[in-house]
Amino acid sequence: MINDALLKAVEDGLGKGAWRLRFADDVEARFEADTQRQRSRQMVVSGLISAVIYCLFLINDYSFRPDTFTSALTLRVAVMLPFGLPILWLVYRGVSPALRETLMASTVIVATVISCMIFASSTAPYSYLDVFSFGLILLVGNIVYSLRFSYAVCSSAISVLIILTFVLPYEPMPAEAKRLAIFTLMAVAVFSLAANYRFERSERTAYLHVLKEKLRAGYYLKDNKKLTRMSVTDSLTTLANRRQFDTVFPVRWQEAADKGLCLGLMVIDIDHFKAYNDYYGHPQGDVCLRRVAKAMQANSRDTDLVVRFGGEEFVVLMVNATPDALEPAAERIRRSVEGLQIPNPGASAESVVTVSIGVAVLWPGVGLAPTELLSQADAALYEAKRQGRNRIWVANSEDSLSGDNANGGLGISAQ
């Protein structure tokens, strides 16, 4: 669906707000809706991989601090996994964007707390070297999970504060090592957040470009549909035009041949229309054409193709129309036009606008072409005109139907 306001918001986002990590509300909502499923799955996969690696650090715990290995095993497996795995399940099932980011950020913070508790629980030599690995937790949140930037900043800041709370009072760790560890940790936080910002900005910019092209494609599609509709529609009457008839006619002919059905055609001409135009002028003549066209359309089946063939001539193509059904259908159209009671003083003082209709029915078969049906209906129209107008003439028929008898009803005249 084409949305001008949305397109403008997208263009604004690509222009003056390109550095921002939040779109206008409607674009932001669409961005989250379009990316949520893929993002949630990516986070779940990243979370599972991170959980495995986090548990593999038990090897390090066993090597560095065998005295507290049992507590490390309990914290990593019995605390971290029961906390993190349900979160991954919820994210996989689908939650709101804000809740998704909050839950994933919480796993980073809890993992930091548990790692610090394991680190502080032992005074074994070199146990403090764990601090240099804490930056990996920040990398998981900022790069592997690729949390939204604001959530990444919050989780990184909280994690750094937690680490400082445990590291600064830890006496077995030399002061020089503390300074180096803290500096390294801060650098990892800053660099990973810079990368996180760049990743999210690139993702959002790419999305805006794609969305812009989709919206523009919607305009192009709308324009193409409009042009296509205009190319097969008569602009004055809004009926199908000759181009559409020439396209549909052979298709309907073949369908009728394949299904063993007959095809009916009416060729209709407004009587004395030149006299009407000469008397009233072409603008009023256009009004007359529109009224006649509307009456024809209203008195035809939904499956019939009503066409303005050219000038004051129309055709009606009918599928599965037997001769017995076609004559009453043509009579409805003839009566409906006559019933408009549009004066035509150009023809005579008491004349009204009427139509003459030539009718033909064929069963498409071997050796027959669609032009044969058109030729027969056209010849029947000529005969209806020759017989006095305002009447129906059926091709290869003994009789015609006339509307100009004394009582104003149907009359039958010999051919």
Side-chain angles (χ1 to χ4, degrees):
M1 183 177 180
I2 298 171
N3 188 320
D4 292 330
L6 183 61
L7 181 59
K8 185 178 186 304
V10 169
E11 291 174 340
D12 288 345
L14 286 170
K16 58 186 179 183
W19 57 272
R20 298 179 60 191
L21 293 183
R22 181 169 178 83
F23 304 137
D25 290 343
D26 50 349
V27 182
E28 184 71 23
R30 182 159 182 164
F31 169 68
E32 290 293 353
D34 289 346
T35 61
Q36 180 171 358
R37 185 174 181 82
Q38 180 180 356
R39 179 167 175 77
S40 296
R41 289 187 173 184
Q42 171 226 323
M43 282 185 152
V44 169
V45 172
S46 300
L48 291 173
I49 295 173
S50 301
V52 171
I53 295 175
Y54 192 76
C55 290
L56 287 177
F57 265 83
L58 285 168
I59 299 172
N60 177 73
D61 296 330
Y62 183 78
S63 301
F64 275 75
R65 54 183 77 84
D67 56 322
T68 58
F69 177 73
T70 301
S71 62
L73 178 64
T74 301
L75 288 170
R76 290 187 190 274
V77 177
V79 177
M80 187 66 220
L81 290 184
F83 177 80
L85 293 180
I87 286 177
L88 296 181
W89 174 247
L90 287 173
V91 171
Y92 177 78
R93 292 295 301 271
V95 293
S96 68
L99 182 57
R100 177 194 66 214
E101 300 297 321
T102 301
L103 290 174
M104 295 304 292
S106 71
T107 64
V108 174
I109 296 171
V110 172
T112 301
V113 172
I114 290 176
S115 295
C116 287
M117 291 174 65
I118 294 171
F119 150 75
S121 67
S122 175
T123 57
Y126 307 114
S127 179
Y128 63 81
L129 293 178
D130 267 8
V131 177
F132 292 94
S133 68
F134 289 172
L136 294 175
I137 301 176
L138 301 181
L139 289 177
V140 167
N142 299 342
I143 305 299
V144 180
Y145 288 175
S146 194
L147 294 168
R148 296 295 183 216
F149 183 70
S150 58
Y151 291 88
V153 169
C154 291
S155 64
S156 295
I158 294 172
S159 296
V160 168
L161 290 175
I162 291 170
I163 293 170
L164 291 176
T165 301
F166 279 88
V167 170
L168 291 177
Y170 186 71
E171 293 183 358
M173 187 174 185
E176 296 80 5
K178 288 181 181 179
R179 284 195 297 270
L180 178 60
I182 292 172
F183 177 80
T184 303
L185 186 68
M186 295 293 189
V188 170
V190 171
F191 292 151
S192 60
L193 284 173
N196 176 280
Y197 174 85
R198 187 173 68 249
F199 291 159
E200 183 174 349
R201 186 179 66 177
S202 297
E203 178 190 9
R204 287 175 173 271
T205 301
Y207 177 80
L208 287 181
H209 282 294
V210 172
L211 182 57
K212 181 180 179 180
E213 292 307 312
K214 285 183 178 180
L215 292 172
R216 284 183 170 179
Y219 280 106
Y220 297 147
L221 181 60
K222 180 182 178 182
D223 288 343
N224 286 339
K225 286 182 177 179
K226 183 178 179 180
L227 290 173
T228 300
R229 186 167 59 250
M230 289 174 60
S231 70
V232 296
T233 304
D234 177 62
S235 59
L236 177 65
T237 63
T238 70
L239 298 178
N241 62 11
R242 175 69 180 269
R243 182 196 297 270
Q244 186 173 353
F245 176 79
D246 289 342
T247 301
V248 173
F249 190 23
V251 174
R252 295 279 175 87
W253 178 272
Q254 187 59 50
E255 289 175 350
D258 294 340
K259 297 177 181 179
L261 303 175
C262 61
L263 203 62
L265 187 68
M266 305 180 204
V267 178
I268 306 168
D269 188 78
I270 301 178
D271 299 324
H272 303 295
F273 188 70
K274 184 179 183 304
Y276 185 94
N277 259 343
D278 290 344
Y279 187 88
Y280 286 110
H282 290 286
Q284 189 61 32
D286 290 344
V287 174
C288 176
L289 285 171
R290 281 194 290 266
R291 292 184 64 186
V292 170
K294 185 176 181 180
M296 292 181 185
Q297 186 75 71
N299 287 276
S300 300
R301 303 177 303 178
D302 292 339
T303 55
D304 297 342
L305 181 65
V306 184
V307 182
R308 185 187 178 195
F309 209 58
E312 66 271 24
E313 191 169 76
F314 301 81
V315 299
V316 179
L317 180 62
M318 302 179 69
V319 178
N320 193 22
T322 63
D324 291 341
L326 196 59
E327 286 187 16
E331 177 60 17
R332 280 197 306 274
I333 290 176
R334 188 199 66 77
R335 283 180 177 271
S336 69
V337 175
E338 187 178 32
L340 295 174
Q341 292 294 299
I342 302 173
N344 189 3
S348 65
E350 297 181 358
S351 291
V352 295
V353 171
T354 59
V355 293
S356 298
I357 306 176
V359 178
V361 181
L362 278 180
W363 277 267
V366 178
L368 291 176
T371 52
E372 178 65 24
L373 179 61
L374 182 58
S375 296
Q376 289 191 17
D378 199 53
L381 172 65
Y382 176 81
E383 188 62 27
K385 291 280 191 181
R386 195 177 70 84
Q387 292 290 334
R389 296 183 173 85
N390 190 23
R391 68 187 62 221
I392 299 165
W393 199 273
V394 181
N396 301 319
S397 173
E398 293 294 329
D399 302 311
S400 70
L401 301 179
S402 170
D404 52 356
N405 60 17
N407 296 322
L410 285 177
I412 300 177
S413 60
Q415 197 172 15

